[in-house]
Amino acid sequence: MSTLEVEDLTAGYGDARVLHGIGLTVGEGEICAILGPNGAGKTTLLRALSGMIKARGRVRLGGTDLAGRSPDALARQGIAHVPEGRGTFMPLTVEENLRLGAFVRRGRDGVNADIERIHGYFPVLKDRMKQAAGSLSGGEQQMLAIGRALMSRPRLLLLDEPSLGLAPLVTRELFRIVQAINAEEQTTVVVVEQNAHLALGIAQQAHVLETGRIVLSGTAEQIRADEQVAQSYLGYRV
Amino acid sequence: MSETDSAQVKRAPAPPAAPRRPAPAGPLAGRWRWVAIALLLAAACYAPFQLVPFHVFQLTMVLVYAVALLGLNLLVGHAGQISLGHGAFFAVGAYTTAILLDHWDGMPYPVTLPLAAGVAFLLGLAFGVPAMRLRGLYLALVTLAMAIFLAPLLKRFEELTGGSMGLTLAKPAPPAWSGLAPDQWLYFLTLVVAVAAFLLAHSLLRSRVGRALHALRDNEIAAEVMGVRLSSYKTLAFAWSAMFAGAAGCVYTWVIGFVSPDSFTVNLSITMLAGLVVGGLGTLFGPLLGALFVMFVPSISQDINDAAPGVIFGLLIIAVMYVAPTGLAGLAERLIKKIPRKE
Ligand SMILES: Nc1ncnc2c1ncn2[C@@H]1O[C@H](COP(=O)(O)OP(=O)(O)OP(=O)(O)O)[C@@H](O)[C@H]1O
Ligand SMILES: [Mg+2]
């Protein structure tokens, strides 16, 4: 069971509170999209979930209470975060970056097989294995960041704007891959995305965040059909 | 061949192969790196038979410092921490060895190596736990304090350490079967320790642990999110670096046969850090080049200007950093890259 349950989550930076009592539930193996305008606190929400910033409230993954744990402990609990800005280890090679992704896994079993699997998803990475990750293009780095997160075989995958810097065609491919991973491995996914069309296309449910509060929740279809959302975030009128 | 050639005549010239982005490891990568090391090792085995004893002694000391700098490189170059107190762990290794040899008759000297390294490791662990909660300048200050309070401490426990007089010991003598002169024997002992230390550091860095250290250095937060426990790995890096310093200190005592508080001043710690930065932080050959620096530059400064060797020393550091901001190892890589290569 890797259901994510979040209750009354508050978080911020120093004295500045950004999230005000977030509550949401993502069922096991579901994809949940988080939408909202710039500065709403989407990135902050993912950071709070992966422990990058301190948060208060209750977070449970598969029934285990995770509140207040350090980021490395959360990684061992199966949370993988593809952060805004990718978090690439620039001087390390692509291969080292991928292997770091498997850091929390005990033993080497399957690590090489998983690298092959990542190559299957992102063939460009295969030719660049011995190259410094910093020398990859922005889009390639985004693929590396996602590949690296998958290397941990996460129970919960947090994606912060995976489409950033990717060509539209690559973005669509990427979302197809996320969907495939989600289907094959029952990985629960929370995806923050500017491209609401794509995100709603693969998500079962969605939440709209505004100034640190959830202002709208529903199934992907409901959100897509909502006139107000359509105007504000999807960029068209119904 | 000719068939395809003629078939292509009418076509536009083939575009050049997709531009390859630069490889990460520089020209001294892979096989060539090992060739360079093998040549260096061959030269190192040959040299003591061609040099006068004083120069053999100097080379021995370079190797001693190289072992210490291997440890410092682990901490500063690879884990991205700072230490202005590396000389203190060097001193701990040296004194552990001296005290063991002085107080236990018939203590075989090879035994002192693991003991000195072990004591330094444990001390590094003990200091590392609180020290690694600090960062940057705060950490620099605490490690500097460590280097400063060592000398008074050594003088205080006179019975054990010989106070300011220090301890004088017999140097390991060459066994008859070796047919070596005393200076040559000490040199080869040191060389063996240095090679072992090099291999140990190398395999450490290539392991999962090494990747974790690099990740911490490059992006602490991202490393944590990958599951790297920050405090443990920083503390371990500190302890390992102390262990190498301790081993180097032990060999120092073998080679010099004398320890006193004045041999391990704050200056030594600072010179080591300067030497490593000049040699090349985080590089394979940085510690060796840095050791040459630690060994020779202070005395060269003395020769150039007897009145103010510190000024010359400082100016030399500035000059090197100006010409080679990534250290001498980085400079060497740049020069090798300039050599045109055949396809
Ligand atoms: N490191 C930080 N330190 C202080 N304040 C921050 C930090 N990061 C974000 N904030 C603040 O928190 C608020 C929410 O930021 P956040 O990055 O979570 O927004 P977002 O929804 O991800 O926006 P975007 O769509 O632009 O990425 C903003 O007001 C921002 O100024
Ligand atoms: Mg954001």
Side-chain angles (χ1 to χ4, degrees), chain A residues 169-184:
Chain A
L169 215 64
V170 181
T171 306
R172 263 195 294 282
E173 175 68 8
L174 181 76
F175 273 79
R176 202 191 53 72
I177 290 168
V178 170
Q179 204 170 16
I181 291 161
N182 164 258
E184 277 168 32

Side-chain angles (χ1 to χ4, degrees), chain A residues 134-187:
Chain A
S135 70
L136 297 182
S137 77
E140 288 166 346
Q141 281 184 35
Q142 190 69 51
M143 296 179 209
L144 176 60
I146 293 166
R148 192 182 63 188
L150 294 178
M151 287 299 294
S152 68
R153 296 219 162 216
R155 292 198 290 157
L156 173 64
L157 180 61
L158 308 173
L159 297 172
D160 200 340
E161 308 210 10
S163 73
L164 203 72
L166 296 181
L169 215 64
V170 181
T171 306
R172 263 195 294 282
E173 175 68 8
L174 181 76
F175 273 79
R176 202 191 53 72
I177 290 168
V178 170
Q179 204 170 16
I181 291 161
N182 164 258
E184 277 168 32
E185 326 219 341
Q186 290 296 295
T187 311

Side-chain angles (χ1 to χ4, degrees), chain A residues 52 72 75-76 103 130 135, chain B residues 21 24 208 218 224-225 229:
Chain A
M52 272 168 80
D72 56 282
R76 278 188 292 278
F103 188 81
K130 300 290 176 201
S135 70
Chain B
R21 295 196 181 85
R208 177 171 176 271
D218 297 336
E224 265 191 297
V225 172
R229 194 180 291 148

